[in-house]
């Protein structure tokens, strides 16, 4: 049987405006500028820059606007006077005072020049090749990645040439043409793996005993070289330790990514624009928000005049009513965006100020050993905000300090107790671990067990597996791979 019942539920939903605000908080400075530019292009009721307050009040819209999303609004219900308020609101209330004095806009430079692929094609044009060979070599060059490697199997290249270019070739011909490609600059380009890349570079060098030994090591004992089994290499090639050391130096000078240097020069230069700036003034910390995060926005005077014209009009046609509805929607959207930017500024400032005060000793001294253990919840509790909001600020924002520009999330770390029972930051332990490994005897590098014992002697009782975890987070290889001769 069908039954009809009444159930009561309590649900919490985020409005579209709240979702957009959270996204805006997460944006770093450069991405925020792009978002601001997009909004200015899409909403003609929103304008940037300073305005003449004698002619128009930039806060002429009140807080009453419709969020229902219903487009069928009766224009007779719109109170035009609410949008034409004569209340004078000072300009300082619509701007943020927490920004740096440096308002200069710095354009990101663009690199000029040819692409890596075009650089190789320009060289291949100097060779005498048949029409088919030119197509094949161009196809091979086009298959080379940014690092300079040909990652595809020649059999797959042969099949693609047949299907896409209607050219039927053989593996032997592809091998011959690939050798021509491998003669191009930079040395090592067109290699199919690291071993071949290093050998190609060595063959370009002058004939020396160390160079010959290096080639033989790579060709015959590449695995043993990678695993640093130096004693086995000395025994196999009947050489002294000094001769092996000279050969290894030849290999260490090579470029494992021959295409990387050329590709990097043709990318847009990356710039980090700090969202905050911390200065020390007479022993006190001073926090400022980047002026790019505090743009000057106001409502368009033209749109305000359109509403005035509608109000003064005796005959209100349907087209005028439609226009007023459109204007109202744009004005509501512009006002919300201005309010969202103010909330974004306040949220950013509150978060960074709490972090600065929590890590005051570090910001005053620059000594990373002064960094206190700090997690997202610590800051969230101080400013009475959600942990997710703090995370959005920390993960994508940078701060300029007297000691360099830092990513805010780097100030967060878990705590661990030392032998005296005091809480210390895991970042401090990682710094000590890095220092210990830098000073170790590279001929006999310390294992994770030895590192754990050494840290324990220094007052940090941590387990071997914890040492291994921190070592991997620092991108430090195991002891065997740190060995030198």
């Amino acid at each position: 049987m069908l039954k009809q019942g009444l159930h009561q539920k309590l649900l919490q939903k985020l409005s579209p405006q709240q979702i957009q605000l959270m996204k805006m908080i997460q944006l770093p400075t450069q991405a925020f500028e792009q978002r601001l530019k997009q909004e200015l292009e899409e909403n003609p009721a929103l304008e940037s820059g300073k305005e003449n307050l004698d002619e128009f009040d930039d806060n002429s819209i009140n807080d009453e606007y419709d969020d229902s999303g219903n487009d069928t609004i009766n224009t007779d219900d719109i109170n035009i006077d609410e949008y034409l308020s004569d209340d004078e609101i000072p300009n300082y209330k619509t701007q943020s005072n927490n920004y740096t004095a440096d308002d200069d806009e710095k354009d990101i430079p663009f690199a000029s020049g040819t692409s890596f692929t075009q650089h190789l094609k320009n060289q291949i044009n100097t060779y005498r090749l048949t029409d088919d060979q030119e197509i094949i070599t161009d196809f091979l060059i086009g298959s080379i990645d940014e690092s300079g490697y040909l990652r595809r199997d020649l059999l797959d290249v042969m099949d693609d040439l047949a299907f896409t270019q209607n050219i039927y070739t053989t593996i032997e011909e592809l091998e011959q043409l690939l050798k021509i490609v491998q003669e191009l600059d930079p040395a090592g380009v067109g290699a199919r793996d690291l071993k071949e890349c290093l050998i190609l570079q060595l063959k370009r060098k002058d004939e020396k005993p160390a160079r010959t030994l290096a080639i033989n090591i790579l060709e015959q004992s590449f695995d043993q070289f990678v695993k640093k089994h130096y004693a086995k290499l000395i025994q196999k090639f009947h050489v002294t330790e000094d001769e092996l050391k000279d050969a290894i130096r030849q290999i260490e000078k090579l470029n494992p990514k021959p295409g990387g240097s050329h590709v990097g020069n043709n990318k847009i230069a990356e710039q980090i624009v700090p969202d905050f700036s911390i200065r020390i003034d007479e022993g006190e910390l001073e926090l400022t928000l980047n002026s790019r995060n505090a743009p000057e926005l106001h409502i368009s005077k033209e749109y305000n005049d359109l509403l005035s014209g509608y109000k003064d009009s005796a005959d209100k046609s349907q087209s005028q009513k439609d226009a007023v509805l459109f204007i109202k929607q744009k004005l509501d959207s512009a006002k919300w965006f201005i309010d969202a930017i103010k909330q974004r500024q306040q949220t950013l400032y509150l978060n960074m100020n709490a972090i600065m005060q929590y890590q005051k000793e570090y910001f005053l001294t620059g000594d990373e050993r002064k960094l206190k253990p700090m997690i997202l919840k610590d800051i969230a509790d101080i400013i009475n905000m959600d942990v997710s909001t703090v995370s959005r600020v920390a993960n994508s924002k940078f701060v300029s300090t007297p000691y360099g520009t830092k990513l805010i999330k780097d100030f967060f770390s878990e705590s661990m107790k030392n032998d005296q029972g005091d809480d210390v930051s895991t970042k401090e332990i990682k710094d000590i671990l890095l220092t210990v490994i830098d000073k170790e005897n590279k001929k006999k590098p310390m294992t994770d067990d030895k590192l754990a014992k050494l840290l324990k002697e220094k007052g940090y009782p941590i387990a071997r597996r914890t040492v291994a975890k921190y070592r991997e987070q620092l991108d430090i290889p195991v002891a065997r791979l740190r060995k030198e001769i």
Side-chain angles (χ1 to χ4, degrees), residues 2 78 101 114 173 181 209 283 311 358 397 419 435 438 450 462:
L2 294 177
I78 300 176
T114 58
E173 185 179 12
V181 173
K311 179 185 177 183
Y358 201 97
K397 305 293 186 299
D419 57 352
T435 303
D438 285 341
K450 291 183 179 179
I462 58 177

Side-chain angles (χ1 to χ4, degrees), residues 222-235:
F222 183 74
D223 290 340
Q224 290 180 334
F225 166 74
V226 170
K227 295 176 181 178
K228 296 192 175 184
H229 293 162
Y230 297 134
K232 294 181 179 179
L233 293 176
I234 291 174
Q235 184 179 2

Side-chain angles (χ1 to χ4, degrees), residues 11 43 60 62 88 189 203 284 302 324 363 370 383 391 430 464:
L11 298 176
N43 191 347
S60 61
N62 71 349
E88 184 177 354
V189 70
K203 288 183 176 179
E284 294 295 327
E302 294 179 2
V324 168
F363 286 114
K370 300 288 185 180
I383 61 178
S391 176
K430 289 178 183 178
R464 183 203 61 79

Side-chain angles (χ1 to χ4, degrees), residues 201-247:
Q201 294 180 60
L202 285 171
K203 288 183 176 179
R204 297 265 191 108
K205 292 182 175 291
D206 297 334
E207 181 67 38
K208 291 180 180 178
R211 174 252 195 188
T212 303
L213 177 59
I215 293 176
N216 291 334
I217 289 174
L218 293 177
E219 289 180 339
Q220 301 174 31
S221 304
F222 183 74
D223 290 340
Q224 290 180 334
F225 166 74
V226 170
K227 295 176 181 178
K228 296 192 175 184
H229 293 162
Y230 297 134
K232 294 181 179 179
L233 293 176
I234 291 174
Q235 184 179 2
K236 180 174 181 177
F237 292 98
H238 306 289
V239 293
T240 64
E241 185 175 299
D242 289 337
E243 289 173 334
L244 179 61
K245 188 180 296 184
D246 291 340

Side-chain angles (χ1 to χ4, degrees), residues 18 21-22 29 42 60 102 193 226 292 322 336 349 407:
Q18 289 174 312
L21 176 61
M22 290 298 102
T29 298
E42 294 177 354
S60 61
D102 185 11
D193 53 37
V226 170
R292 296 188 182 187
D322 293 340
W336 173 84
Y349 190 85
L407 184 62

Side-chain angles (χ1 to χ4, degrees), residues 80-104:
I80 302 301
D81 291 329
E82 292 180 353
Y83 288 83
L84 299 174
S85 173
D86 292 329
D87 295 336
E88 184 177 354
I89 298 179
N91 192 35
Y92 70 85
K93 288 189 177 181
T94 64
Q95 299 176 11
S96 172
N97 295 321
N98 300 313
Y99 55 81
T100 58
D102 185 11
D103 292 332
D104 295 337

Side-chain angles (χ1 to χ4, degrees), residues 125-158:
N125 289 337
T126 62
Y127 287 78
R128 284 190 175 183
L129 302 172
T130 64
D131 292 344
D132 284 354
Q133 287 176 334
E134 286 184 2
I135 295 175
I136 294 173
T137 52
D138 280 351
F139 197 88
L140 288 171
I141 290 173
S143 301
I144 294 175
D145 63 14
E146 291 185 347
S147 298
Y149 286 85
L150 180 66
R151 306 285 187 181
R152 304 186 60 202
D153 190 271
L154 290 182
L155 185 61
D156 294 335
V157 174
M158 184 179 70

